[in-house]
Amino acid sequence: MVRTAPLLTYGSARGRWTLAATVGGSAIASIDATAVNIALPAIGNEFDTDLSVLQWVVTSYTLTLAGLLLVAGALGDRYGRRRVFDIGIVWFALASVLCAVAWNPETLIGARALQGVGAALLTPGSLAILEAVFVPADRGKAIGAWSGLTGVASAIGPFLGGWLIQAASWRWIFAINLPIALVVVLVSRRHIPESRDPEATGRVDMVGGVLVTLGLVGLTYGLIQWPSVAALGLGVVLLAAFIVWETRTPAPILPLHLFRSTQFTATNLVTFIVYGAMGGALFLLPLQLQEVSGYTPLQAGISLLPVTVIMLLLSARSGALAARIGPRLQMSAGPVLVGLGFALFGMIGSSGTYVTEVLPAVTVLGLGLAVTVAPLTATVLAAVPARHAGVASAVNNDVARAAALIAVAVLPAAAGITGAAYMNPAEFTDGFHTASMICAGLCVFAGALAAVTIRNETRPPAAAPSQPWHCQLDAPVPRAAVTPSPGAETAP
C-alpha cells in the first residue's frame, strides 16, 4: 500500500539525522562553489595561465549544473529522491578528487564539469527529501533549519577555503569534500526514507537536458573565446531547438506555459539581471583583492562575510514586509541598492583598507540583496497556480545560475580584461572598476524594470517559503506534493 503522509517528525532521532544529511549534501556544494572563487588567483599562478582558463574553471561547473538541474529533479521524482541524492554525493566527491589531483588546466576544467553533474543530482534532492519525509506540521521547521544551517555553511565556505589555500594548497578545497561526502552517504543510507512522485511515470526529458546543456556550452565557448562565431551560432541553434522540443514533448523539463504570466516572466528577467551582475562581479572581486589589494586568501575569503550575516538577519523581515505591502517597492529599490554596492566596488584599489574600501561596498550589497531576494522568491511562487509553485522556483533557480554563467563569460571582455591582465595590477584595476560600473548599471535597470512590470498581487503566494530566506543559488523548492515510496518505515 502506498502511504500518503510523510513519515518523520522534527524531534525524532531519524528526523534529525535526515536533516543533517541533507544539510551536509548542500554544504559541500555551497562551500565548494564559494571557495573556488577565492582559489582562482592561486590556480592561475600555479598553472601560469590566462583569465580565460579561470573563466572556464568557474563556468564548466555552472554549465553542467544549470543544464542538468531540472532533469535531475525529474530523475529524483521518478526513480527516488534519496537514490539520486546519494548518487550525486558520490559523483561530486569523486569529481572533487580529480579536481584535487588535476595536473593541468584542462584536467581541472573537465573535473569541474563533472562536479557540476554531481551537484545537479544532489541539489534538488536536499529540499525535496525534507518536503517528502517530514509531517506537514514539522516541514516548516525542517526547511527553516536547513536554510539556516546551509547559510552558515555558505558563510564558512570562503573562510575555510581561504584558510586551506593559505595553510596548504588550493587543492585541499576539493580534497576535503571526500570525507564529508562519505559521512553524508552513510547517514543517508541509514536514516533517510526513500520517496518518489507516484505520478511521475513517464519518460524523463533527457533530450531537453542535453539540448540546453550543449546550447549553453556553445554559447559560453563563443563568448569566452570571442569572437568564435561558429560556437555562438551553434549554441543559439541548440537553444532554439530546446525551446521547440519543450513545446512538443509531453513531459517537458521547462513548462513554457508558465511564461504566459507577465509577473512570472518579469520576475525571472529581474532575477537574470541581478544574479548575472552578482555572478560576474564576484568572479572578479577575489582577483582584485588578492592580486591588487594584497589580501591573503584567508582575508579575501572573509571579506564578503557581512553579506551573508546581513541576509541571515534581515531576509525574513524583508519577506514579511513584502507580504504586507506587496513586492513591487522592494523589488524596485532592492536592485538599486545592489547596484550602489557594486558602484562602491570602484573604491577598491591598492592603497586603502578593508574598513574604508571593501566594508562599505559589501554592507550596501548585503542590504540590497536582503531587500530583494525574499520578495523575488515569493513573487515567483505567487505568479503561478499552487500546483506549479515548485517547478516555478526551480526554473527561477536555473535562470539565476544561467545568468551567472553568461556574466562570467561576458563581463571580463566587456570591461577590457583579457589574457593575463589579472596579473597586471594597474590594468586589472581599471577593468575591475569598469566591470563594477557595468554591474551597477544593470542592477539599476533591473530596479526600473521591476517598477514598471511587477504588480502587488492581492492574493497570497501560492506556496510561501517557510524557510527564513531562500536564495536561488542554493536549491530549488520541491516541485509539488510528494508521496513516500511503499514500504518506508515509520520514524521511531
Side-chain angles (χ1 to χ4, degrees), residues 54 63 381:
L54 301 185
L63 272 169
L381 298 177

Side-chain angles (χ1 to χ4, degrees), residues 80-343:
R81 297 180 181 88
R82 187 193 68 185
R83 177 184 298 176
V84 174
F85 176 77
D86 289 348
I87 292 171
I89 293 289
V90 172
W91 189 304
F92 190 90
L94 294 177
S96 296
V97 173
L98 185 56
C99 289
V101 301
W103 51 91
N104 57 35
E106 293 76 18
T107 306
L108 179 59
I109 291 168
R112 287 282 289 160
L114 292 175
Q115 259 195 324
V117 175
L121 292 172
L122 72 90
T123 295
S126 57
L127 272 175
I129 286 169
L130 298 181
E131 186 79 8
V133 304
F134 277 92
V135 296
D138 288 348
R139 196 172 294 156
K141 291 180 183 178
I143 294 176
W146 178 93
S147 287
L149 292 170
T150 302
V152 171
S154 298
I156 291 173
F159 174 84
L160 178 62
W163 179 76
L164 288 171
I165 296 162
Q166 191 169 320
S169 166
W170 62 266
R171 297 176 184 275
W172 279 96
I173 67 174
F174 299 111
I176 200 173
N177 292 333
L178 190 60
I180 299 174
L182 177 61
V183 172
V184 169
V185 170
L186 291 176
V187 172
S188 173
R189 298 298 297 174
R190 181 173 177 82
H191 296 287
I192 298 180
E194 184 59 282
S195 65
R196 52 176 56 86
D197 183 354
E199 297 181 3
T201 55
R203 292 183 177 180
V204 175
D205 183 17
M206 296 301 296
V207 173
V210 171
L211 285 173
V212 70
T213 302
L214 293 180
L216 288 173
V217 169
L219 192 64
T220 305
Y221 183 88
L223 292 171
I224 292 178
Q225 307 299 141
W226 181 265
S228 181
V229 178
L232 274 174
L234 180 60
V236 170
V237 168
L238 288 171
L239 290 175
F242 165 71
I243 294 173
V244 172
W245 173 262
E246 294 301 284
T247 63
R248 298 183 179 182
T249 186
I253 58 171
L254 179 62
L256 295 175
H257 64 83
L258 295 179
F259 290 93
R260 295 172 187 164
S261 164
T262 303
Q263 189 92 327
F264 181 78
T265 302
T267 304
N268 278 289
L269 284 173
V270 173
T271 298
F272 186 87
I273 297 169
V274 172
Y275 277 94
M278 188 163 64
L282 298 187
F283 167 72
L284 295 173
L285 179 62
L287 294 167
Q288 174 74 5
L289 292 178
Q290 294 179 65
E291 298 295 327
V292 176
S293 302
Y295 283 41
T296 66
L298 179 57
Q299 290 169 334
I302 63 176
S303 65
L304 285 171
L305 187 59
V307 175
T308 303
V309 172
I310 291 170
M311 290 192 68
L312 285 172
L313 291 176
L314 299 182
S315 288
R317 293 176 176 84
S318 175
L321 177 62
R324 286 202 307 274
I325 68 173
R328 184 180 180 185
L329 176 61
Q330 286 161 264
M331 285 186 63
S332 302
V336 175
L337 269 177
V338 173
L340 178 58
F342 288 139

Side-chain angles (χ1 to χ4, degrees), residues 423-448:
M423 296 182 180
N424 183 323
E427 184 179 354
F428 186 82
T429 297
D430 289 342
F432 176 74
H433 290 167
T434 300
S436 299
M437 295 310 299
I438 291 172
C439 292
L442 287 171
C443 288
V444 171
F445 174 74

